[in-house]
Amino acid sequence: KAGVTQTPRYLIKTRGQQVTLSCSPISGHRSVSWYQQTPGQGLQFLFEYFSETQRNKGNFPGRFSGRQFSNSRSEMNVSTLELGDSALYLCASGGGGSTYEQYFGPGTRLTVT
Amino acid sequence: AQSVTQLGSHVSVSEGALVLLRCNYSSSVPPYLFWYVQYPNQGLQLLLKYTSAATLVKGINGFEAEFKKSETSFHLTKPSAHMSDAAEYFCAVSFNFGNEKLTFGTGTRLTIIP
């Protein structure tokens, strides 16, 4: 099976702009979760989608949003970018059933200048 | 609050020596526990998981971990370190069935000394 794919891999944006990141889960997986990784805060949960519905949400401001499509692909959007949004954004794919494990993509490295 | 603590942000071991990375959790309900490894400029790779079956869990690349409820621990071990084991290791926990949220520890950077 193909793994989790994330596009783009690298992105440079300016403060105030918005950005959309994309994630394609493993075929057959219905759950997609997003995480932010920074040196200072570590790995933090953003949100999780299952069958096009947001099932869980972390403690991030409303500038961070996401959605999931009927083919399970997911997008994450960040509006009004701030310097502190510079991070590695990781997407994880899960079966959503009883196996519990999640498989991560390579991440999108976002730099805000 | 439920949490995960990884003791030691940096661990160095000699090639061929035992690797021991420590993880303790805090939870009022039975947890599901995971170890992930991250190589530079890559995502996270699942090493192994505990989901209330056998308490000694074997994973990939020769790693294993033992769930000890009495000690609320899930330490990761490997009998003989290899240079390729140099990476950052994360312990993670989830608590609710059907809830895919993972709570991660702060990570342990493993260095292998030739």
Side-chain angles (χ1 to χ4, degrees):
Chain A
K1 278 187 179 179
V4 180
T5 58
Q6 292 188 245
T7 56
R9 290 293 312 277
Y10 301 92
L11 206 50
I12 300 175
K13 289 286 188 179
T14 304
R15 272 181 301 176
Q17 289 186 316
Q18 75 167 17
V19 66
T20 299
L21 312 181
S22 180
C23 171
S24 292
I26 292 170
S27 178
H29 282 189
R30 297 162 64 189
S31 169
V32 173
S33 300
W34 289 89
Y35 295 82
Q36 181 196 64
Q37 185 177 26
T38 60
Q41 300 298 317
L43 282 152
Q44 293 188 287
F45 173 80
L46 281 155
F47 30 65
E48 184 231 348
Y49 287 86
F50 181 82
S51 295
E52 301 181 66
T53 301
Q54 188 181 87
R55 192 162 62 171
N56 206 349
K57 189 178 187 306
N59 297 322
F60 278 81
R63 299 184 298 106
F64 292 82
S65 63
R67 60 177 175 170
Q68 187 180 32
F69 302 95
S70 59
N71 62 357
S72 293
R73 189 178 70 85
S74 176
E75 287 183 347
M76 187 192 100
N77 185 75
V78 187
S79 62
T80 320
L81 284 165
E82 300 177 359
L83 294 179
D85 297 333
S86 294
L88 181 66
Y89 290 89
L90 293 163
C91 164
S93 162
S98 60
T99 56
Y100 306 108
E101 67 253 33
Q102 296 181 52
Y103 298 92
F104 284 78
T108 294
R109 172 75 62 184
L110 172 65
T111 302
V112 182
T113 62
Chain B
Q2 295 156 329
S3 63
V4 175
T5 302
Q6 289 184 244
L7 299 177
S9 57
H10 292 86
V11 171
S12 296
V13 302
S14 297
E15 189 175 15
L18 171 72
V19 175
L20 171 60
L21 303 182
R22 300 177 186 273
C23 173
N24 288 87
Y25 68 91
S26 172
S27 172
S28 57
V29 297
Y32 305 110
L33 293 156
F34 309 84
W35 275 99
Y36 284 89
V37 61
Q38 186 177 36
Y39 298 99
N41 299 314
Q42 294 188 28
L44 302 173
Q45 181 182 11
L46 178 66
L47 281 175
L48 49 79
K49 65 177 182 183
Y50 166 77
T51 56
S52 75
T55 56
L56 181 62
V57 181
K58 294 187 185 297
I60 63 172
N61 302 340
F63 285 95
E64 63 181 39
E66 185 173 9
F67 174 72
K68 292 187 176 181
K69 184 179 179 180
S70 61
E71 299 178 8
T72 61
S73 68
F74 190 57
H75 302 331
L76 182 71
T77 60
K78 182 173 181 178
S80 178
H82 191 273
M83 295 301 294
S84 61
D85 295 327
E88 187 145 24
Y89 293 79
F90 293 92
C91 181
V93 62
S94 66
F95 297 101
N96 300 317
F97 175 77
N99 180 341
E100 304 288 340
K101 174 184 176 181
L102 288 171
T103 299
F104 284 90
T106 51
T108 297
R109 184 166 300 279
L110 177 64
T111 300
I112 309 299
I113 304 167

